Amino acid sequence: MEVQRKTVPVKKASKNGFLKSVLVFTLIVSFSVLLLGGYWIFKGLAPRPVEVSGPNGEVLMTKSSISGGQAVFQKYALMDYGTILGHGSYMGPDYTAEALKIYTEGMQDFKAEARYGKRFKQLSDEKQSTIRNQVIREMRKNRYNRASDTLKLTDAQVYGLQQVRDHYRNVFTKGDGWGLEPGLIKESHMPKRDRAWVDSEDQITQISDFIFWTAWLSSTLRPGDDITYTNNWPYDEDAGNTM
């Protein structure tokens, strides 16, 4: 009697298992890179100091007023008109680049007046070069104190801040001659209480300080590095922002 033997088919290695392993590995690597990148981004963020003061200790702005200025910027949809730190629309100016220029020229005038009794543009090329180099060194030095979460500005920087404030008070009061109408920002637009993120100070001062803060971080070196918080952007030779 012939005995029939049943043959068992040999299973071929499934490709599905291999593909699943590749997929899982890719997901793990991808999310690890995202998490690590996010960690370094947040670690390298420019500080918003609790207090920004001048050489005499006078408090010029606070973290609340800087954040309040950002809220004012958003409230009036200025990112739909211009840009801040390069983000937004391109109908109006980049407020960071504009403020950086005003801030730098203010420091140059302050030092030129103090040393030569003249405005910067009235100096000879040689004297302009001397002042320009002084301003670059001074504005790029990082005076933020991480332990106390405070920032001290020099006399020249305080003067530059005031020029930025004066410029934007004029712009947001009288218009910019292009796309912003006169009287865009008014205190009557805000309640006295329950102002959300907007601080108690007047809105124009807050938005001016917020814009100045972006100019400060774009021209101040990261701790232990030779580039600014924005990698030397925007380009401005007088502020030392070069390739």
Side-chain angles (χ1 to χ4, degrees):
M1 182 176 179
E2 187 178 353
V3 179
Q4 295 182 350
R5 295 182 179 180
K6 187 176 181 180
T7 58
V8 180
V10 178
K11 293 184 178 180
K12 295 182 178 181
S14 174
K15 291 185 177 180
N16 289 337
F18 175 73
L19 292 175
K20 287 179 180 178
S21 299
V22 171
L23 176 61
V24 171
F25 176 77
T26 302
L27 288 173
I28 291 174
V29 171
S30 299
F31 280 101
S32 297
V33 171
L34 286 173
L35 290 171
L36 185 61
Y39 167 77
W40 282 110
I41 288 173
F42 281 103
K43 184 179 179 181
L45 281 177
R48 294 195 183 195
V50 170
E51 287 184 354
V52 178
S53 59
N56 61 358
E58 178 188 3
V59 177
L60 303 168
M61 67 183 82
T62 64
K63 179 178 290 188
S64 296
S65 65
I66 295 171
S67 297
Q70 182 177 359
V72 175
F73 190 87
Q74 294 168 336
K75 177 179 184 293
Y76 289 94
L78 287 170
M79 196 168 279
D80 292 334
Y81 173 62
T83 58
I84 192 85
L85 291 170
H87 300 286
S89 300
Y90 292 92
M91 296 174 61
D94 182 87
Y95 291 101
T96 301
E98 183 179 64
L100 178 59
K101 180 176 176 61
I102 297 167
Y103 168 43
T104 304
E105 290 179 350
M107 290 186 67
Q108 290 174 341
D109 280 339
F110 181 89
K111 288 192 169 294
E113 289 280 0
R115 183 163 182 172
Y116 301 111
K118 296 180 180 179
R119 295 180 68 83
F120 179 76
K121 290 184 178 180
Q122 297 174 327
L123 301 179
S124 65
D125 291 344
E126 183 180 354
K127 291 179 179 178
Q128 282 189 0
S129 179
T130 299
I131 295 297
R132 185 180 293 110
N133 291 333
Q134 287 181 355
V135 167
I136 290 174
R137 286 195 300 269
E138 188 167 310
M139 73 190 311
R140 295 179 80 78
K141 183 176 179 179
N142 197 330
R143 295 176 178 81
Y144 171 70
N145 187 321
R146 187 174 181 179
S148 60
D149 195 15
T150 57
L151 170 65
K152 278 193 176 294
L153 301 180
T154 65
D155 285 325
Q157 287 178 308
V158 173
Y159 184 80
L161 165 63
Q162 190 56 55
Q163 303 314 298
V164 172
R165 284 176 170 175
D166 291 345
H167 172 78
Y168 287 111
R169 184 161 297 280
N170 184 66
V171 166
F172 295 125
T173 301
K174 299 179 180 179
D176 65 353
W178 177 249
L180 297 184
E181 296 181 354
L184 175 68
I185 300 177
K186 295 180 179 178
E187 285 306 296
S188 59
H189 297 164
M190 287 294 296
K192 292 184 178 180
R193 297 181 180 179
D194 301 324
R195 293 162 65 98
W197 289 101
V198 181
D199 203 29
S200 57
E201 298 179 50
D202 77 278
Q203 296 181 88
I204 293 180
T205 298
Q206 291 181 66
I207 193 172
S208 300
D209 290 351
F210 167 64
I211 295 173
F212 171 83
W213 173 74
T214 68
W216 173 83
L217 66 89
S218 71
S219 57
T220 300
L221 298 180
R222 293 174 180 271
D225 210 335
D226 59 356
I227 57 173
T228 69
Y229 287 103
T230 56
N231 297 330
N232 291 354
W233 185 94
Y235 181 86
D236 190 322
E237 288 186 354
D238 282 359
N241 279 3
T242 58
M243 296 299 290

